[in-house]
């Protein structure tokens, strides 16, 4: 357990919707302000990876999955404070909506950034990574489809921005050993295991911290006080136990 690992915060929508993927703009700004006031510094993920993922005592990184237009106020907050951010794009849906196949019914329909907005944000220093072409669940896809999803999205971003696409985030956090092998065309890839990231983690299945937990002031307090790692480990242990119980029940042996 690494108490000095890097909290990589994962957001989706920055809006007032009553949705599990939504964070109110005021809450987002308050969370970032609390971190800065407590002496935390923003970490550029590409630079952190290039330096070998060193231990960070009071650092944090911010990522946004799906590339929704609603994140613009959040990116403006970070820009004013000089903090880095990484946005993972679903490239076939840029300039459209988040209506990809397999989207849960409880996720509100929302517009995505268009390529002109992506280019303008890139010029301001926002990093863009791949979230695949169509957001399909890659652990259930043929490996040829996985290749097209990853390489196609990477090529689209590099062509549009004229910059390397170095980072990838698995849709739904789902991967297999074969999928992680294909993700090596990037410098690193991110899953959904809840933990602080460190050099011991699989470079192609790095953990993050979902923003839904940061709605609780007590959880933010744990982050500020350096106590978030053990709490996340306990949450992950409970999640693993529930998954194992569900799998056992589905097997018919229970």
């Amino acid at each position: 357990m690494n108490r000095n690992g890097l909290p990589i915060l994962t957001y989706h929508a920055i809006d007032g919707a009553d949705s599990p993927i939504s964070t109110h703009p005021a809450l987002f700004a308050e969370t970032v302000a609390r971190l800065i006031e407590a002496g935390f510094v923003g970490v550029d993920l590409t630079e952190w990876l290039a330096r070998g993922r060193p231990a960070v005592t009071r650092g944090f990184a911010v990522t946004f999955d799906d590339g929704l237009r609603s994140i613009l106020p959040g990116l403006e907050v970070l820009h004013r404070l000089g903090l880095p951010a990484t946005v993972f794009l679903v490239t076939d849906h840029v300039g459209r909506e988040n209506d990809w196949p397999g989207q849960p019914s409880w996720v509100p329909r929302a517009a995505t950034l268009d390529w002109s907005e992506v280019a303008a944000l890139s010029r301001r220093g926002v990093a863009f990574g791949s979230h695949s072409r169509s957001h399909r669940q890659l652990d259930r896809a043929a490996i040829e489809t996985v290749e097209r999803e990853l390489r196609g999205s990477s090529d689209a971003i590099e062509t549009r921005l004229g910059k390397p696409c170095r980072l990838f985030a698995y849709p739904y956090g789902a991967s297999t050993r074969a999928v992680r092998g294909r993700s090596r065309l990037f410098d690193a890839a991110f899953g959904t295991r809840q933990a602080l990231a460190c050099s011991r983690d699989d470079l192609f299945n790095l953990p993050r911290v979902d923003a839904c937990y940061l709605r609780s002031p007590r959880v933010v307090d744990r982050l500020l006080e350096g106590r978030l790692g053990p709490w996340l480990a306990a949450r992950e242990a409970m999640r693993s136990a529930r998954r194992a119980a569900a799998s056992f029940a589905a097997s018919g042996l229970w």
Side-chain angles (χ1 to χ4, degrees):
M1 184 183 302
N2 185 3
R3 295 174 183 270
N4 292 325
L6 179 68
I8 304 173
L9 312 183
T10 306
Y11 292 88
H12 288 79
I14 305 296
D15 58 31
D18 183 20
S19 162
I21 69 166
S22 295
T23 298
H24 195 282
L27 178 58
F28 177 83
E30 177 186 345
T31 301
V32 173
R34 290 190 66 189
L35 285 163
I36 298 304
E37 289 167 4
F40 279 69
V41 296
V43 173
D44 181 292
L45 284 175
T46 300
E47 294 179 359
W48 177 71
L49 289 161
R51 289 188 290 119
R53 295 177 283 167
V56 181
T57 302
R58 296 184 79 76
F60 70 104
V62 181
T63 64
F64 298 90
D65 284 7
D66 300 344
L68 303 179
R69 288 200 79 248
S70 68
I71 69 174
L72 288 172
L75 290 174
E76 185 59 34
V77 168
L78 298 175
H79 179 70
R80 288 199 305 268
L81 295 169
L83 299 173
T86 301
V87 179
F88 292 103
L89 297 173
V90 183
T91 53
D92 284 0
H93 287 259
V94 170
R96 296 170 53 188
E97 290 186 326
N98 61 338
D99 57 347
W100 36 78
Q103 181 74 287
S105 60
W106 49 262
V107 175
R109 184 70 62 86
T112 61
L113 297 166
D114 62 33
W115 283 115
S116 65
E117 291 168 321
V118 169
L121 290 166
S122 177
R123 289 193 292 270
R124 291 177 64 174
V126 175
F128 287 91
S130 165
H131 204 30
S132 80
R133 288 181 56 185
S134 66
H135 206 283
R136 69 183 301 161
Q137 191 159 326
L138 299 178
D139 62 334
R140 300 177 182 176
I143 203 64
E144 295 82 5
T145 300
V146 172
E147 181 74 21
R148 288 194 297 270
E149 287 281 331
L150 273 59
R151 193 167 295 280
S153 61
S154 174
D155 288 348
I157 292 169
E158 293 184 354
T159 298
R160 291 281 186 166
L161 301 183
K163 299 178 181 179
C165 179
R166 300 188 180 282
L167 305 179
F168 179 71
Y170 301 104
Y172 309 108
S175 68
T176 62
R177 181 178 297 179
V179 171
R180 291 191 291 277
R182 290 302 191 275
S183 74
R184 291 178 180 273
L185 68 93
F186 302 96
D187 290 350
F190 300 83
T192 55
R193 180 171 66 88
Q194 302 299 302
L196 307 184
C198 68
S199 60
R200 294 192 301 273
D201 293 313
D202 182 345
L203 185 58
F204 295 94
N205 196 20
L206 292 170
R208 294 188 283 173
V209 180
D210 196 283
C212 67
Y213 296 125
L214 303 178
R215 295 175 185 172
S216 166
R218 292 184 178 180
V219 176
V220 177
D221 288 344
R222 290 178 184 274
L223 172 56
L224 298 177
E225 296 164 5
R227 299 184 294 112
L228 185 60
W231 185 83
L232 289 172
R235 298 284 302 186
E236 275 298 303
M238 288 188 291
R239 286 177 62 186
S240 296
R242 286 195 297 268
R243 285 194 295 265
S247 176
F248 190 62
S251 71
L253 299 176
W254 198 343

